Amino acid sequence: MASESEESSYVVARLLNGLKEVYTFKELEEFLGIPSQVLWRYTSYSQFPERHTAKKILDAIREKRLVEKALREALLRQNEVVEEWRILFNPRILNLVGYVIWKFYSNLEVDTVLTYPERNAGLAVMAADWLLADVAVASERAYGNWGKLLTASYVSGERGEIVYLHIPKDSIPKDSKVLVVKSIVNDFQSLNALSSLVEQARAQLVGAVAIIALSDKWVETVSRLNLKNIKVLLTWTREGFYVNL
């Protein structure tokens, strides 16, 4: 996937598959000017659009901001309440998020997608699938069968305690490029520990992405770490959540 262009037939088919979670075939037909029967074949991967058709579809998706609207619709309730399960346990939404991550980070040639906690594993796997990368999942438990471990800690403001994270020593190869992904963050203090794990592995942290930020406290954390390529897809403002694509 990482070597594909955004207008490739396969990428557009996968994008349509994600959008189908929010839009009906009739709505997509009206938005894109493509018959619903044809769209069904694209979303089921039984047929892929030709290159010029893929470009037409992608141009319409961009013009009508269908991805932004779909993420807001899928991840937030009408009263702006965040429900994490809508991200973590919906394959089509994970696929849509994976597309967005791939769009922003494919040029970084990511080798490993790192996440925490374990419930974020599905998100990491989908991002890694789009980026053709491996997956590493940090845990608060130091499992005995993991062998040698890398360990780091951070102070959780929400829990009011020091939290220790562990990963197997060989889960992040030396000199690899690592992208951190998380579903929901507040102050994103766990990024301190995840960054330390990457440093201990003698790898390079090339970026971090969160799907939803519940406050702007994460900005201070990222600033202290002096990290580039940071992306939060939905951020909280006084007026409500803002889609930042």
Side-chain angles (χ1 to χ4, degrees):
M1 278 297 306
S3 61
E4 294 274 4
S5 72
E6 191 178 1
E7 295 174 354
S8 78
S9 298
Y10 181 57
V11 169
V12 170
R14 290 196 68 175
L15 176 55
L16 286 171
N17 180 274
L19 292 173
K20 183 59 184 68
E21 179 62 24
V22 175
Y23 304 110
T24 66
F25 281 120
K26 182 178 180 180
E27 288 173 328
L28 287 175
E29 179 177 350
E30 293 175 355
F31 293 145
L32 307 176
I34 304 292
S36 57
Q37 298 91 337
V38 176
L39 291 171
W40 179 87
R41 292 197 290 271
Y42 294 162
T43 58
S44 64
Y45 306 137
S46 60
Q47 179 182 340
F48 293 94
E50 295 182 1
R51 187 65 179 232
H52 72 277
T53 303
K55 184 180 185 306
K56 173 186 174 182
I57 292 172
L58 187 59
D59 288 344
I61 289 173
R62 290 169 175 164
E63 179 185 352
K64 295 177 173 60
R65 300 182 66 83
L66 297 186
V67 174
E68 291 88 336
K69 293 175 183 177
L71 286 176
R72 170 174 284 280
E73 175 70 22
L75 303 180
L76 301 175
R77 295 176 61 181
Q78 289 184 355
N79 55 357
E80 298 282 276
V81 172
V82 174
E83 295 179 324
E84 191 175 27
W85 66 268
R86 291 176 179 269
I87 307 172
L88 301 181
F89 303 110
N90 189 319
R92 287 193 175 186
I93 294 304
L94 285 178
N95 184 42
L96 188 60
V97 170
Y99 159 78
V100 174
I101 292 174
W102 170 82
K103 178 181 175 182
F104 286 112
Y105 294 100
S106 60
N107 65 319
L108 298 181
E109 298 180 347
V110 173
D111 300 301
T112 304
V113 175
L114 172 63
T115 195
Y116 156 81
E118 288 95 329
R119 66 177 180 271
N120 278 211
L123 170 62
V125 168
M126 184 62 76
D129 179 52
W130 275 88
L131 294 169
L132 296 180
D134 295 323
V135 175
V137 180
S139 174
E140 295 181 28
R141 298 181 180 181
Y143 294 97
N145 61 355
W146 277 4
K148 293 183 178 180
L149 299 175
L150 300 178
T151 300
S153 64
Y154 73 97
V155 178
S156 172
E158 296 173 282
R159 293 161 58 174
E161 61 184 3
I162 298 175
V163 179
Y164 291 87
L165 302 185
H166 317 273
I167 57 170
K169 186 177 181 180
D170 59 355
S171 62
I172 301 179
K174 181 181 177 181
D175 297 325
S176 62
K177 295 180 179 179
V178 181
L179 175 70
V180 167
V181 300
K182 288 201 70 175
S183 56
I184 297 177
V185 299
N186 189 355
D187 55 18
F188 212 170
Q189 287 293 331
S190 60
L191 188 58
N192 290 295
L194 295 171
S195 176
S196 177
L197 293 175
V198 173
E199 183 178 357
Q200 292 177 53
R202 298 182 180 180
Q204 178 186 3
L205 182 58
V206 296
V209 56
I211 309 308
I212 297 176
L214 301 179
S215 75
D216 59 0
K217 296 178 182 178
W218 63 274
V219 176
E220 183 179 349
T221 301
V222 170
S223 298
R224 288 199 304 268
L225 290 171
N226 195 28
L227 290 177
K228 299 179 180 179
N229 302 311
I230 308 300
K231 193 73 177 175
V232 176
L233 305 189
L234 277 78
T235 56
W236 172 256
T237 68
R238 293 180 180 179
E239 291 75 32
F241 282 96
Y242 171 73
V243 181
N244 182 33
L245 299 187

mmCIF file of all heavy atoms in Angstrom, residues 147-163:
data_model
loop_
_atom_site.group_PDB
_atom_site.id
_atom_site.type_symbol
_atom_site.label_atom_id
_atom_site.label_comp_id
_atom_site.label_asym_id
_atom_site.label_seq_id
_atom_site.Cartn_x
_atom_site.Cartn_y
_atom_site.Cartn_z
ATOM 1 N N GLY A 147 10.370 -12.392 27.375
ATOM 2 C CA GLY A 147 11.835 -12.347 27.409
ATOM 3 C C GLY A 147 12.330 -10.992 27.875
ATOM 4 O O GLY A 147 11.746 -10.361 28.751
ATOM 5 N N LYS A 148 13.391 -10.517 27.266
ATOM 6 C CA LYS A 148 13.960 -9.223 27.658
ATOM 7 C C LYS A 148 13.002 -8.099 27.268
ATOM 8 O O LYS A 148 12.434 -8.109 26.180
ATOM 9 C CB LYS A 148 15.319 -9.013 26.993
ATOM 10 C CG LYS A 148 16.399 -9.984 27.483
ATOM 11 C CD LYS A 148 17.744 -9.679 26.843
ATOM 12 C CE LYS A 148 18.815 -10.621 27.381
ATOM 13 N NZ LYS A 148 20.143 -10.337 26.756
ATOM 14 N N LEU A 149 12.873 -7.136 28.182
ATOM 15 C CA LEU A 149 11.898 -6.068 27.992
ATOM 16 C C LEU A 149 12.559 -4.696 27.929
ATOM 17 O O LEU A 149 13.638 -4.490 28.480
ATOM 18 C CB LEU A 149 10.885 -6.052 29.146
ATOM 19 C CG LEU A 149 10.030 -7.302 29.362
ATOM 20 C CD1 LEU A 149 9.195 -7.133 30.617
ATOM 21 C CD2 LEU A 149 9.133 -7.564 28.159
ATOM 22 N N LEU A 150 11.876 -3.782 27.256
ATOM 23 C CA LEU A 150 12.170 -2.364 27.371
ATOM 24 C C LEU A 150 11.065 -1.767 28.227
ATOM 25 O O LEU A 150 9.885 -2.082 28.041
ATOM 26 C CB LEU A 150 12.193 -1.695 25.990
ATOM 27 C CG LEU A 150 13.210 -2.218 24.977
ATOM 28 C CD1 LEU A 150 13.065 -1.476 23.655
ATOM 29 C CD2 LEU A 150 14.625 -2.098 25.503
ATOM 30 N N THR A 151 11.430 -0.902 29.171
ATOM 31 C CA THR A 151 10.467 -0.350 30.113
ATOM 32 C C THR A 151 10.641 1.157 30.222
ATOM 33 O O THR A 151 11.766 1.665 30.244
ATOM 34 C CB THR A 151 10.640 -0.984 31.510
ATOM 35 O OG1 THR A 151 10.427 -2.396 31.415
ATOM 36 C CG2 THR A 151 9.628 -0.401 32.497
ATOM 37 N N ALA A 152 9.530 1.869 30.274
ATOM 38 C CA ALA A 152 9.540 3.316 30.461
ATOM 39 C C ALA A 152 8.305 3.694 31.272
ATOM 40 O O ALA A 152 7.357 2.909 31.402
ATOM 41 C CB ALA A 152 9.548 4.038 29.117
ATOM 42 N N SER A 153 8.289 4.903 31.807
ATOM 43 C CA SER A 153 7.171 5.325 32.644
ATOM 44 C C SER A 153 6.739 6.743 32.303
ATOM 45 O O SER A 153 7.492 7.518 31.694
ATOM 46 C CB SER A 153 7.553 5.251 34.124
ATOM 47 O OG SER A 153 8.600 6.162 34.417
ATOM 48 N N TYR A 154 5.520 7.073 32.709
ATOM 49 C CA TYR A 154 5.016 8.437 32.586
ATOM 50 C C TYR A 154 4.076 8.712 33.744
ATOM 51 O O TYR A 154 3.553 7.781 34.381
ATOM 52 C CB TYR A 154 4.314 8.652 31.248
ATOM 53 C CG TYR A 154 2.957 7.993 31.118
ATOM 54 C CD1 TYR A 154 1.783 8.703 31.341
ATOM 55 C CD2 TYR A 154 2.842 6.649 30.745
ATOM 56 C CE1 TYR A 154 0.538 8.114 31.209
ATOM 57 C CE2 TYR A 154 1.597 6.045 30.612
ATOM 58 C CZ TYR A 154 0.458 6.783 30.846
ATOM 59 O OH TYR A 154 -0.779 6.185 30.727
ATOM 60 N N VAL A 155 3.844 9.975 34.031
ATOM 61 C CA VAL A 155 2.930 10.371 35.098
ATOM 62 C C VAL A 155 1.557 10.639 34.481
ATOM 63 O O VAL A 155 1.408 11.534 33.647
ATOM 64 C CB VAL A 155 3.433 11.626 35.834
ATOM 65 C CG1 VAL A 155 2.432 12.031 36.909
ATOM 66 C CG2 VAL A 155 4.801 11.372 36.445
ATOM 67 N N SER A 156 0.589 9.858 34.877
ATOM 68 C CA SER A 156 -0.766 10.020 34.362
ATOM 69 C C SER A 156 -1.524 11.030 35.212
ATOM 70 O O SER A 156 -1.810 10.775 36.387
ATOM 71 C CB SER A 156 -1.503 8.679 34.366
ATOM 72 O OG SER A 156 -2.869 8.865 34.038
ATOM 73 N N GLY A 157 -1.854 12.167 34.612
ATOM 74 C CA GLY A 157 -2.638 13.166 35.323
ATOM 75 C C GLY A 157 -4.050 12.697 35.587
ATOM 76 O O GLY A 157 -4.650 13.015 36.616
ATOM 77 N N GLU A 158 -4.611 11.915 34.678
ATOM 78 C CA GLU A 158 -5.974 11.423 34.832
ATOM 79 C C GLU A 158 -6.075 10.398 35.947
ATOM 80 O O GLU A 158 -7.044 10.383 36.704
ATOM 81 C CB GLU A 158 -6.446 10.813 33.508
ATOM 82 C CG GLU A 158 -6.546 11.807 32.363
ATOM 83 C CD GLU A 158 -6.847 11.122 31.048
ATOM 84 O OE1 GLU A 158 -5.937 10.545 30.445
ATOM 85 O OE2 GLU A 158 -8.013 11.187 30.628
ATOM 86 N N ARG A 159 -5.056 9.531 36.069
ATOM 87 C CA ARG A 159 -5.086 8.476 37.083
ATOM 88 C C ARG A 159 -4.368 8.870 38.366
ATOM 89 O O ARG A 159 -4.494 8.208 39.388
ATOM 90 C CB ARG A 159 -4.467 7.203 36.498
ATOM 91 C CG ARG A 159 -5.303 6.614 35.390
ATOM 92 C CD ARG A 159 -4.545 5.653 34.497
ATOM 93 N NE ARG A 159 -3.959 4.547 35.215
ATOM 94 C CZ ARG A 159 -3.348 3.520 34.618
ATOM 95 N NH1 ARG A 159 -3.261 3.506 33.289
ATOM 96 N NH2 ARG A 159 -2.829 2.540 35.313
ATOM 97 N N GLY A 160 -3.567 9.930 38.301
ATOM 98 C CA GLY A 160 -2.855 10.387 39.481
ATOM 99 C C GLY A 160 -1.810 9.402 39.965
ATOM 100 O O GLY A 160 -1.617 9.226 41.173
ATOM 101 N N GLU A 161 -1.105 8.777 39.031
ATOM 102 C CA GLU A 161 -0.088 7.796 39.407
ATOM 103 C C GLU A 161 0.939 7.652 38.295
ATOM 104 O O GLU A 161 0.741 8.118 37.172
ATOM 105 C CB GLU A 161 -0.735 6.435 39.676
ATOM 106 C CG GLU A 161 -1.465 5.853 38.466
ATOM 107 C CD GLU A 161 -2.169 4.552 38.782
ATOM 108 O OE1 GLU A 161 -2.151 4.131 39.945
ATOM 109 O OE2 GLU A 161 -2.736 3.945 37.846
ATOM 110 N N ILE A 162 2.051 7.017 38.645
ATOM 111 C CA ILE A 162 3.076 6.700 37.656
ATOM 112 C C ILE A 162 2.698 5.398 36.961
ATOM 113 O O ILE A 162 2.382 4.402 37.620
ATOM 114 C CB ILE A 162 4.468 6.572 38.317
ATOM 115 C CG1 ILE A 162 4.871 7.900 38.955
ATOM 116 C CG2 ILE A 162 5.510 6.154 37.277
ATOM 117 C CD1 ILE A 162 6.180 7.831 39.724
ATOM 118 N N VAL A 163 2.722 5.405 35.640
ATOM 119 C CA VAL A 163 2.360 4.220 34.853
ATOM 120 C C VAL A 163 3.602 3.707 34.135
ATOM 121 O O VAL A 163 4.329 4.483 33.497
ATOM 122 C CB VAL A 163 1.266 4.563 33.819
ATOM 123 C CG1 VAL A 163 0.907 3.334 32.988
ATOM 124 C CG2 VAL A 163 0.040 5.128 34.513
#
